[in-house]
Amino acid sequence: MGKAYLVLMGILLCSKLYESASNSLWRWKCNQSAGACTRVSGDVDATLYPSLETCRLVCGTAGGLWPQPTVGTVLSDGLFQFSLSSLKFEFASEDNDVTTYLKEIADLFNKTLSSISASNCSNTDNTVTISIVVLTNNMDLNWKTDEGYNLEILTAGKENSVKISANTIFGARHALETVSQLIELFSNNNGEVCHVIVDEAKISDAPNYNHRGLLLDTARNFLSISSIKKHVDGMAHSKLNVLHWHITDSQSFPLELPTLPNMTKYGAYSDSKIYHPTDIAELISYAKLRGVRIIIEIDAPSHAGNGWQWGPDAGLGDLSVCINQQPWRSFCIQPPCGQLNPVNSNLYKVLKDLYSDVINMLPKGEVFHMGGDEVYIPCWNSTPEIIAYLGDKPRTTETFLDLWSDYQAQALEAFDSAVGNTNTPIILWTSHLTEVSVIEKYLSKTRYVIQTWVPAADTLPQNLLDLGYQIIASTKDTWYLDHGFWGNTVYHNWRVVYNNKIPTASGTLGGEVCMWGELVDDSSVESRVWPRAAAAAERLWSNPKTNADQAERRFYRHRERLVSRGINAEALTPRWCYQNEGEC
Amino acid sequence: MGKAYLVLMGILLCSKLYESASNSLWRWKCNQSAGACTRVSGDVDATLYPSLETCRLVCGTAGGLWPQPTVGTVLSDGLFQFSLSSLKFEFASEDNDVTTYLKEIADLFNKTLSSISASNCSNTDNTVTISIVVLTNNMDLNWKTDEGYNLEILTAGKENSVKISANTIFGARHALETVSQLIELFSNNNGEVCHVIVDEAKISDAPNYNHRGLLLDTARNFLSISSIKKHVDGMAHSKLNVLHWHITDSQSFPLELPTLPNMTKYGAYSDSKIYHPTDIAELISYAKLRGVRIIIEIDAPSHAGNGWQWGPDAGLGDLSVCINQQPWRSFCIQPPCGQLNPVNSNLYKVLKDLYSDVINMLPKGEVFHMGGDEVYIPCWNSTPEIIAYLGDKPRTTETFLDLWSDYQAQALEAFDSAVGNTNTPIILWTSHLTEVSVIEKYLSKTRYVIQTWVPAADTLPQNLLDLGYQIIASTKDTWYLDHGFWGNTVYHNWRVVYNNKIPTASGTLGGEVCMWGELVDDSSVESRVWPRAAAAAERLWSNPKTNADQAERRFYRHRERLVSRGINAEALTPRWCYQNEGEC
């Protein structure tokens, strides 16, 4: 497919575009070498587009695609007009499950396009056929899933064909996401609104990292299932693939456990602020259809208070200590306090039940996040039961780290006993246990993946990689989306998020942006996360050598796309700057 | 009304409350001396409330009221249960317009209460009667309007009566807002959800400042009418009374002017991003019913570019200069550039038409905001037409200030000519023209009100007061709601907003929090403004000597109230801290 030919096609079709532009004063001109769409007042010129959105489809190497494809991208600058009613799908798979999945993502694709509502388009002579070939029957989404795809668009006369091939359904899903970004609305000269698709394209694409995540915290403040679904939508549109669900913390325990009903009885904020197992199942299936897996974190032994009060009444003793204790500054880092009681053997029986209940909600073999951050020694060191247990041992930091690692070993044993094998990967946050000098003593590198939450300048992630650990990076001073609203933290705008680079060594599974929940709930969480999480999405998918300045036009477009797809992504710039690329 | 009696009543009724509490583990206890509602697990105790919300209604001097009343507040700690269907209104006014207004605000009141949905309440024996007396027929909302009110609630057997008296309909409206804050939902022992109202209360209230404003900027990014209405709702619930509408700027001109259709043709972002005169009329009436007046700002001579391009084509020459000029840093403070052309006499004819059109949309005599900030001399000083006009004059700062003040004088003349008198108050932002050393030369203190936008430490507001000017304070480093997301600015949390004190001299009409629009549009503007604007509302209404720490419990409650009334106010704290007053 020669570029000269494409340009010719482009001019040909663009001249048709101009005729059919609306009555507005403005047109857009693509300067291909600068990759910029410039707003001009409407002189007759065959190279003009009727809207910024149609110009952006084809202007610059990656047009309006987000994240930018990694292996190769060729886009024509011509557009093909069609009606949604004349778009059809073809699937080539012998496998029923695969075909069912493909039908469902095709339905979602149609729904997404219908939501950017074309009205009364009568052009049904032009047809678009999307054919999808999936080469394996693998339905699992994990760190080894091949999410790559190839995509080709060709136009012959009145027939536009989109050919997708991928090794897995997830690659095919990403391809459809890309196709949806090659389509825009278009007002034609009959006063109708139709869709247009880029008429020729060839894209080969695969992610740089297999773990591309967003952390949501539903313990500081509850998030409704419908709010969480909105985030999954945004992730799907940006090709993020892991929702890390920090579901409990010392403030609340909103996860209903069939075996342990006391956890929500004591720990939920109210009867309406509970996640039932049916909610979890529904969400997991909702997310899978959108290329997203859900990893559950039950943070422990610290960050565990409310929900755990019922031990004494049940004759099990204190399962957690320092719960809601005051003055909190003496017993924890953030109120309310609460830290599991590692010396109560009943705790591990309860943990086994807890893990069992959670595992039953998850796909077989799914990894599990055990938290493990911010154990606060003064709590344990002021608890008589623990002091008695330690007996003559000196109550030094090392003694308490040993106690903590004992807890971790017994918790892991409880987990393994619940799951019935010893090979589920476990994720832990960096902590005193993961310091380079001690981690090999405490945590097996074949069993634990370490999630780092240190500033960009900290060498810990690289040091852990050097020791042979696998890591997930959540760079604290760039990817913590709660910053800027408390203490001395500063807000990380999308450029800071985008420019954050994480280690490229193969032990780096990927990274996560973190939406800690102290200061967000349903009212504002959507615009706090979006579109900034999408900036991290391109870093994790494409990991370009360039920085935010080079991504600005596509990112501005992607923000508008998220909004048009129902996500309250916050504004990035005055609209004039969006409409006048490169002028601000 | 003796407090002892009230307490007795309270205990009596509270014991009934306890019996009818829901099955939840938790109850709330009011510690009246600390003014705190404490969560306790449900032992039988006659002084417990079934929810934080019912406890907060009556706990502490001002219960859950926001803003706190100024003259006097006495609240019983007893509650009276009723069904909305047995609530009725009585109005005492001979005036039809007054009665119509009262009926409409009564409807709104009912609508607000219905939105916190009580279900299947069968208690219709208990009745609530709200009677409203308005002593004048004055329907105008301006800087002299008496917004005060008196409110008394009494209970006799099955009859609860709420007596409101006020000098104006606006005082009566505020009183109803207060009554709505003395009502909560309540789950009774029949499995029904009813409303409860504080059974005895006596409140006397009036604002400290007559200008209590929120600035919205619809030029950097367009805000839909429905979004603006949400802000008006939030203002009504918080007793703010001025929506300052920064409707145009250099980026866009979204206000349709019947006489000057080119302004939106050139200046609107799109056909759907235009405010039509019917929209303005509808909004003004919507706002008035909610105790809010709308003040329109057409910023000039700077901050005026897009929309003004049509002069040359119409044979009027350049009405604005430096429009969208690059490199923008040489011609303005923020792109795109644009500054009215003071030496083009046609400009003043156009301004007269513009003012005429705007005045026609406003209530008779409404004040007008002429902007007047950030004139950037290098623009004028690089414009050949202006340089030629100045001729031999030295092109010093003073020369350009004189030119600017000439512009201002002619603009005022155009305005007065359009309105037909010379006494409409004009508001201007502080600028080089308003410096203490020159303001008396340039701006009449009987005609202009100065809106200051300097940091809290700046003495300018007090200096202008000392000179005899009236001011409106928009303290830049506390009340600019856009800060924290760009440059070196920091986010002002609600405590900073609340703690900002403005001059108390009588020349201080009041203040405004400012939501500049570069980085917000419909997607996030609601949670960016709320509940922080409500923190300023109490500062402007009550101006308490105390600070945010003393207001925390009521403010947390008010944030929840805003959310329950449909406003996406952002979260202030983990919900645990809301449910456990004073523990975080």
Side-chain angles (χ1 to χ4, degrees):
Chain A
M1 190 163 61
K3 192 64 191 166
Y5 165 74
L6 288 179
V7 170
L8 188 65
M9 282 286 291
I11 289 174
L12 216 67
L13 287 160
C14 285
S15 96
K16 250 169 81 189
L17 276 188
Y18 173 69
E19 290 167 38
S20 50
S22 81
N23 291 325
S24 161
L25 192 65
W26 310 111
R27 302 288 180 276
W28 277 261
K29 186 186 182 70
C30 169
N31 176 339
Q32 276 292 1
S33 62
C37 291
T38 305
R39 197 180 76 163
V40 294
S41 55
D43 292 348
V44 176
D45 179 333
T47 63
L48 299 178
Y49 292 83
S51 65
L52 180 275
E53 289 74 18
T54 45
C55 179
R56 177 92 331 269
L57 267 187
V58 297
C59 199
T61 313
L65 297 176
W66 195 272
Q68 59 177 292
T70 51
V71 186
T73 313
V74 185
L75 300 175
S76 150
D77 56 4
L79 301 175
F80 180 85
Q81 199 179 139
F82 69 101
S83 156
L84 258 196
S85 63
S86 47
L87 179 146
K88 63 176 198 290
F89 279 89
E90 289 171 357
F91 310 117
S93 167
E94 301 295 305
D95 187 89
N96 277 343
D97 289 345
V98 167
T99 306
T100 301
Y101 187 93
L102 295 178
K103 281 183 180 159
E104 286 175 345
I105 61 174
D107 287 347
L108 265 188
F109 176 90
N110 277 320
K111 215 168 140 187
T112 298
L113 291 197
S114 319
S115 76
I116 51 165
S117 60
S119 59
N120 67 347
C121 179
S122 68
N123 188 338
T124 49
D125 290 346
N126 283 0
T127 62
V128 174
T129 306
I130 302 179
S131 50
I132 307 180
V133 179
V134 173
L135 302 170
T136 74
N137 300 339
N138 188 347
M139 303 285 290
D140 296 330
L141 183 55
N142 56 43
W143 289 325
K144 294 185 173 149
T145 302
D146 179 350
E147 296 173 278
Y149 64 90
N150 290 300
L151 165 63
E152 193 164 9
I153 305 181
L154 290 165
T155 297
K158 291 176 178 299
E159 291 177 12
N160 174 285
S161 61
V162 179
K163 295 186 186 307
I164 290 169
S165 79
N167 279 324
T168 70
I169 52 171
F170 302 103
R173 197 215 70 84
H174 291 318
L176 269 191
E177 202 69 54
T178 301
V179 174
S180 81
Q181 298 186 357
L182 296 170
I183 294 173
E184 290 291 350
L185 287 187
F186 176 74
S187 303
N188 71 22
N189 53 359
N190 302 323
E192 300 171 343
V193 180
C194 292
H195 286 87
V196 283
I197 184 168
V198 175
D199 66 346
E200 311 253 332
K202 191 163 187 173
I203 293 172
S204 186
D205 197 11
N208 272 267
Y209 296 100
N210 296 321
H211 186 110
R212 305 181 304 281
L214 164 65
L215 176 147
L216 291 180
D217 166 7
T218 60
R220 273 57 177 254
N221 280 298
F222 185 83
L223 298 177
S224 68
I225 293 289
S226 63
S227 167
I228 296 172
K229 284 183 175 172
K230 284 286 206 77
H231 291 287
V232 172
D233 294 345
M235 295 172 74
H237 298 318
S238 310
K239 300 192 176 82
L240 288 169
N241 70 350
V242 176
L243 176 62
H244 171 170
W245 193 348
H246 184 87
I247 197 168
T248 67
D249 210 295
S250 60
Q251 286 86 355
S252 75
F253 199 107
L255 176 61
E256 182 191 339
L257 298 176
T259 314
L260 302 167
N262 275 331
M263 298 306 295
T264 43
K265 181 179 177 194
Y266 283 78
Y269 286 131
S270 75
D271 291 350
S272 65
K273 290 184 166 47
I274 290 177
Y275 305 108
H276 304 287
T278 49
D279 295 328
I280 308 288
E282 188 201 345
L283 256 182
I284 287 174
S285 135
Y286 185 94
K288 184 173 183 177
L289 198 58
R290 287 155 182 85
V292 174
R293 67 199 277 219
I294 295 181
I295 293 178
I296 301 269
E297 175 187 357
I298 306 285
D299 202 351
S302 194
H303 293 280
N306 286 279
W308 290 93
Q309 300 99 317
W310 53 275
D313 284 349
L316 300 177
D318 285 330
L319 300 170
S320 176
V321 294
C322 314
I323 300 179
N324 303 343
Q325 200 167 337
Q326 295 287 3
W328 63 264
R329 281 173 193 78
S330 305
F331 303 99
C332 58
I333 292 166
Q334 178 190 61
C337 300
Q339 202 155 281
L340 296 188
N341 179 0
V343 306
N344 178 352
S345 61
N346 292 319
L347 171 66
Y348 303 98
K349 296 174 189 155
V350 172
L351 279 177
K352 185 184 167 187
D353 288 342
L354 182 157
Y355 294 141
S356 261
D357 279 356
V358 175
I359 289 162
N360 284 337
M361 301 179 203
L362 301 179
K364 195 163 187 302
E366 186 56 277
V367 307
F368 186 77
H369 201 307
M370 287 198 181
D373 57 319
E374 298 189 317
V375 164
Y376 195 64
I377 292 173
C379 163
W380 283 348
N381 199 9
S382 68
T383 302
E385 183 182 351
I386 293 173
I387 295 169
Y389 173 90
L390 293 175
D392 292 341
K393 280 189 199 160
R395 290 192 269 142
T396 59
T397 299
E398 201 189 350
T399 297
F400 283 103
L401 291 189
D402 286 343
L403 182 64
W404 178 3
S405 76
D406 285 349
Y407 160 84
Q408 186 57 43
Q410 291 183 73
L412 183 67
E413 206 179 301
F415 183 90
D416 287 347
S417 159
V419 78
N421 64 49
T422 59
N423 50 31
T424 310
I426 303 295
I427 310 176
L428 283 181
W429 293 106
T430 47
S431 70
H432 289 304
L433 288 191
T434 69
E435 281 170 15
V436 174
S437 55
V438 299
I439 184 170
E440 290 177 296
K441 172 180 166 194
Y442 293 130
L443 301 168
S444 150
K445 64 190 67 168
T446 57
R447 195 63 202 279
Y448 288 101
V449 169
I450 310 301
Q451 183 162 13
T452 59
W453 57 292
V454 292
D458 198 307
T459 59
L460 182 61
Q462 190 57 54
N463 295 341
L464 292 174
L465 288 165
D466 292 344
L467 286 178
Y469 286 87
Q470 291 186 298
I471 69 157
I472 295 162
S474 289
T475 318
K476 195 176 180 175
D477 53 358
T478 54
W479 282 7
Y480 265 35
L481 303 180
D482 60 312
H483 282 196
F485 303 92
W486 57 272
N488 292 320
T489 61
V490 297
Y491 177 82
H492 312 310
N493 67 28
W494 79 269
R495 292 169 197 275
V496 173
V497 173
Y498 188 91
N499 292 342
N500 183 53
K501 293 182 183 169
I502 64 173
T504 52
S506 66
T508 311
L509 297 173
E512 292 177 7
V513 287
C514 299
M515 184 68 266
W516 297 107
E518 284 85 351
L519 300 175
V520 288
D521 60 15
D522 278 13
S523 290
S524 66
V525 66
E526 221 170 299
S527 58
R528 190 71 39 97
V529 169
W530 302 101
R532 292 188 293 160
E538 175 149 307
R539 176 56 55 204
L540 288 164
W541 181 281
S542 322
N543 200 22
K545 291 195 177 63
T546 49
N547 71 17
D549 290 343
Q550 283 74 50
E552 180 185 283
R553 292 154 200 179
R554 288 182 300 105
F555 195 63
Y556 284 3
R557 181 71 202 101
H558 190 58
R559 183 267 169 177
E560 298 297 316
R561 180 183 296 132
L562 290 170
V563 170
S564 76
R565 294 178 185 183
I567 292 150
N568 284 329
E570 73 179 348
L572 298 167
T573 188
R575 193 164 185 84
W576 191 89
C577 302
Y578 168 71
Q579 290 185 341
N580 293 269
E581 293 183 349
E583 295 289 311
C584 290
Chain B
M1 188 164 64
K3 193 66 191 165
Y5 165 73
L6 288 179
V7 170
L8 189 65
M9 283 285 293
I11 289 176
L12 216 66
L13 287 160
C14 284
S15 99
K16 250 168 83 188
L17 275 187
Y18 172 70
E19 289 168 38
S20 51
S22 81
N23 290 324
S24 161
L25 193 65
W26 310 111
R27 303 287 180 277
W28 277 260
K29 186 185 182 71
C30 170
N31 176 338
Q32 276 292 2
S33 63
C37 292
T38 304
R39 197 181 76 165
V40 293
S41 55
D43 292 348
V44 176
D45 179 334
T47 63
L48 298 177
Y49 292 83
S51 65
L52 181 274
E53 290 73 19
T54 45
C55 179
R56 177 82 346 262
L57 267 186
V58 297
C59 198
T61 313
L65 297 176
W66 195 273
Q68 59 177 292
T70 51
V71 186
T73 312
V74 185
L75 300 175
S76 150
D77 56 2
L79 301 175
F80 181 86
Q81 198 178 142
F82 69 100
S83 157
L84 258 197
S85 63
S86 47
L87 179 147
K88 63 177 197 289
F89 279 90
E90 288 172 357
F91 310 117
S93 168
E94 302 294 306
D95 186 87
N96 278 343
D97 289 345
V98 167
T99 306
T100 300
Y101 186 93
L102 295 179
K103 281 182 181 160
E104 286 175 346
I105 60 173
D107 287 347
L108 265 188
F109 176 90
N110 277 320
K111 215 167 140 188
T112 297
L113 291 196
S114 317
S115 76
I116 51 163
S117 60
S119 59
N120 68 346
C121 179
S122 68
N123 188 337
T124 49
D125 289 348
N126 283 1
T127 62
V128 174
T129 305
I130 303 179
S131 50
I132 307 181
V133 178
V134 172
L135 301 171
T136 75
N137 300 339
N138 188 347
M139 302 286 288
D140 296 330
L141 183 55
N142 55 42
W143 289 325
K144 292 184 174 151
T145 302
D146 179 350
E147 296 174 277
Y149 64 89
N150 290 300
L151 165 63
E152 192 162 13
I153 304 181
L154 289 166
T155 296
K158 292 176 178 298
E159 291 177 12
N160 174 285
S161 61
V162 178
K163 295 184 185 307
I164 290 169
S165 79
N167 278 325
T168 71
I169 53 171
F170 302 103
R173 198 215 69 84
H174 292 318
L176 268 191
E177 202 69 54
T178 301
V179 174
S180 81
Q181 298 186 356
L182 296 170
I183 295 174
E184 291 291 350
L185 287 187
F186 175 75
S187 302
N188 71 22
N189 52 359
N190 302 323
E192 300 172 342
V193 180
C194 292
H195 286 87
V196 282
I197 185 168
V198 175
D199 66 346
E200 311 253 331
K202 191 163 190 173
I203 293 172
S204 186
D205 197 11
N208 272 268
Y209 295 100
N210 295 320
H211 185 109
R212 305 181 305 280
L214 164 65
L215 176 146
L216 290 181
D217 165 8
T218 59
R220 273 59 177 253
N221 279 299
F222 185 83
L223 298 177
S224 67
I225 294 288
S226 62
S227 168
I228 297 172
K229 283 182 175 172
K230 284 285 206 78
H231 291 288
V232 173
D233 294 346
M235 294 172 73
H237 298 318
S238 310
K239 300 191 175 87
L240 288 169
N241 69 350
V242 176
L243 176 62
H244 171 168
W245 194 348
H246 184 86
I247 196 167
T248 68
D249 209 294
S250 60
Q251 286 87 353
S252 77
F253 199 106
L255 176 62
E256 182 190 339
L257 299 177
T259 314
L260 302 168
N262 275 331
M263 298 306 295
T264 44
K265 181 178 177 195
Y266 283 78
Y269 285 131
S270 75
D271 291 352
S272 65
K273 291 184 165 47
I274 290 177
Y275 304 109
H276 305 287
T278 49
D279 295 327
I280 309 287
E282 188 202 344
L283 256 182
I284 287 173
S285 135
Y286 185 93
K288 184 173 183 176
L289 197 58
R290 287 156 181 83
V292 175
R293 68 200 275 218
I294 295 181
I295 293 179
I296 301 271
E297 174 187 356
I298 305 285
D299 202 352
S302 194
H303 293 279
N306 286 280
W308 290 92
Q309 299 99 317
W310 53 275
D313 284 349
L316 299 177
D318 285 330
L319 300 170
S320 176
V321 293
C322 313
I323 300 180
N324 302 345
Q325 201 167 337
Q326 295 287 2
W328 63 264
R329 282 172 193 77
S330 305
F331 304 99
C332 58
I333 291 167
Q334 179 190 63
C337 300
Q339 201 154 280
L340 296 188
N341 180 0
V343 305
N344 178 353
S345 61
N346 291 319
L347 170 66
Y348 303 98
K349 296 175 191 154
V350 172
L351 279 177
K352 185 184 166 188
D353 288 343
L354 182 157
Y355 293 141
S356 264
D357 280 357
V358 175
I359 290 162
N360 284 338
M361 301 179 202
L362 302 178
K364 194 163 187 302
E366 186 56 277
V367 305
F368 186 76
H369 201 308
M370 288 199 182
D373 56 320
E374 298 188 317
V375 163
Y376 196 62
I377 291 174
C379 163
W380 283 347
N381 199 9
S382 67
T383 302
E385 183 182 351
I386 294 173
I387 294 170
Y389 174 91
L390 293 177
D392 292 341
K393 280 188 199 160
R395 290 192 268 142
T396 59
T397 298
E398 201 189 351
T399 296
F400 284 102
L401 290 188
D402 285 344
L403 181 64
W404 177 3
S405 75
D406 284 349
Y407 160 83
Q408 186 56 43
Q410 291 183 73
L412 183 66
E413 207 178 301
F415 183 90
D416 287 347
S417 159
V419 77
N421 64 50
T422 59
N423 50 30
T424 310
I426 303 294
I427 310 176
L428 282 180
W429 293 106
T430 47
S431 71
H432 289 305
L433 288 192
T434 68
E435 281 169 15
V436 174
S437 55
V438 298
I439 185 170
E440 289 176 297
K441 171 179 165 195
Y442 293 131
L443 301 168
S444 149
K445 63 191 68 169
T446 56
R447 195 63 202 279
Y448 289 101
V449 170
I450 309 301
Q451 183 163 13
T452 60
W453 57 291
V454 292
D458 198 307
T459 58
L460 180 62
Q462 190 57 52
N463 295 341
L464 291 174
L465 288 165
D466 292 344
L467 285 178
Y469 286 86
Q470 290 186 299
I471 69 158
I472 295 162
S474 288
T475 317
K476 195 176 181 176
D477 54 358
T478 55
W479 282 7
Y480 265 34
L481 302 181
D482 60 312
H483 281 194
F485 303 91
W486 58 272
N488 292 320
T489 61
V490 297
Y491 177 82
H492 311 310
N493 67 29
W494 79 270
R495 292 169 196 275
V496 172
V497 173
Y498 188 91
N499 291 343
N500 183 53
K501 293 181 184 172
I502 64 171
T504 51
S506 66
T508 310
L509 297 173
E512 291 178 8
V513 287
C514 298
M515 183 67 267
W516 296 107
E518 284 85 350
L519 299 176
V520 289
D521 60 15
D522 278 13
S523 289
S524 66
V525 66
E526 218 170 300
S527 58
R528 191 70 39 95
V529 169
W530 301 101
R532 291 188 293 159
E538 175 149 306
R539 176 55 56 205
L540 289 163
W541 180 281
S542 323
N543 200 22
K545 289 195 179 64
T546 51
N547 71 16
D549 290 344
Q550 284 75 51
E552 180 185 284
R553 292 153 201 180
R554 287 183 301 105
F555 195 63
Y556 285 2
R557 182 70 202 103
H558 189 58
R559 182 267 169 178
E560 298 298 316
R561 181 184 294 134
L562 290 170
V563 171
S564 76
R565 292 176 186 183
I567 292 150
N568 284 329
E570 73 179 349
L572 298 167
T573 187
R575 193 165 185 84
W576 191 88
C577 301
Y578 168 71
Q579 290 185 343
N580 292 271
E581 292 183 351
E583 296 289 312
C584 290

